[in-house]
Amino acid sequence: MLALSHVDSFYDRSHILHDVSLDVPDGQVTAVLGRNGTGKTTLLKTLMGLTDRMDGQIRLGDQEIGREPTFRRARAGIAYVPQGREIIPDFTIRENILMGSFARADGKREIPPLVAELFPYLMNNLDRNGGVLSGGQQQQLAIARALAANPRIILLDEPNEGIQPSIVEEIEQVIIRLNREIGLTVILVEQNVSFARNAAHRFAMMEKGRIVAAGEISELTDAMVHRHMAV
């Protein structure tokens, strides 16, 4: 479904991604792994058109999107849940979710029934401000906002970071369910190798802005993890 070919990406004069090529199969979870500072977040931002400059190609199906603005990529079906969630604290839960619907290609402005099914707490508290929610609840809200865009692909940047342990497993199960039951294609940036092995079909290991290994998740060995992720 999604393919990067010889992609270089920049912030001003800083060259972050180097000759990145990656295929993301339709209907699968692809885990992007690596130490902090290796370019994982920049990879997701490059897919969304949020870096200063990009060379190379990004294709979504038959469409070349590497030169499209961010809003067109969103309307083409890519939703992004950023690291830190970036919800608007003074907006209500309802308003935060509905923000995602502005990326819908069909123009509908609604909270999807799936959000009510996955996150009943949010639906029971739609008039609460997002800023008063816990970290785990804000992550639920960020995922709900992404789902309101009716995406084909969802990009998740370390979705369990800074979340209380009691909600981590719940978030993980939601991500697996979105893929296995709903059929969403997922690109998951993750430090938790055990979760990646449980959730993902494929992996890509990053080091210094390059993909140094990729393949089926069964090919992700402990030796590879130690070499590229151990501190």
Side-chain angles (χ1 to χ4, degrees), residues 71-99:
F71 80 92
R72 292 195 186 280
R73 301 184 197 204
R75 287 188 177 170
I78 305 177
Y80 178 38
V81 180
Q83 190 176 28
R85 301 171 281 276
E86 296 183 12
I87 61 120
I88 298 180
D90 292 334
F91 277 21
T92 64
I93 290 173
R94 178 186 284 106
E95 291 167 336
N96 270 284
I97 296 173
L98 288 176
M99 279 184 60

Side-chain angles (χ1 to χ4, degrees), residues 175-202:
I175 293 168
I176 292 171
R177 186 176 177 187
L178 289 174
N179 172 253
R180 305 300 197 268
E181 296 182 21
I182 311 302
L184 273 178
T185 302
V186 178
I187 301 179
L188 172 68
V189 166
E190 187 54 68
Q191 294 281 357
N192 185 332
V193 175
S194 63
F195 172 47
R197 282 176 165 149
N198 187 38
H201 302 87
R202 298 184 59 80

Side-chain angles (χ1 to χ4, degrees), residues 158-179:
E158 298 201 29
N160 289 325
E161 183 183 44
I163 292 178
Q164 56 269 43
S166 60
I167 297 186
V168 166
E169 185 175 353
E170 183 179 341
I171 295 292
E172 291 178 352
Q173 290 305 311
V174 164
I175 293 168
I176 292 171
R177 186 176 177 187
L178 289 174
N179 172 253

Side-chain angles (χ1 to χ4, degrees), residues 1 26 48 60 73-81 100-101 103-106 112 114-115 142-156 178 182-186:
M1 170 181 278
D26 187 17
M48 292 305 302
L60 180 60
R73 301 184 197 204
R75 287 188 177 170
I78 305 177
Y80 178 38
V81 180
S101 68
R104 288 183 67 118
D106 59 12
L114 179 61
V115 170
I143 294 172
R145 179 183 58 194
L147 293 175
N150 193 31
R152 300 159 61 189
I153 302 174
I154 189 165
L155 315 180
L156 295 158
L178 289 174
I182 311 302
L184 273 178
T185 302
V186 178

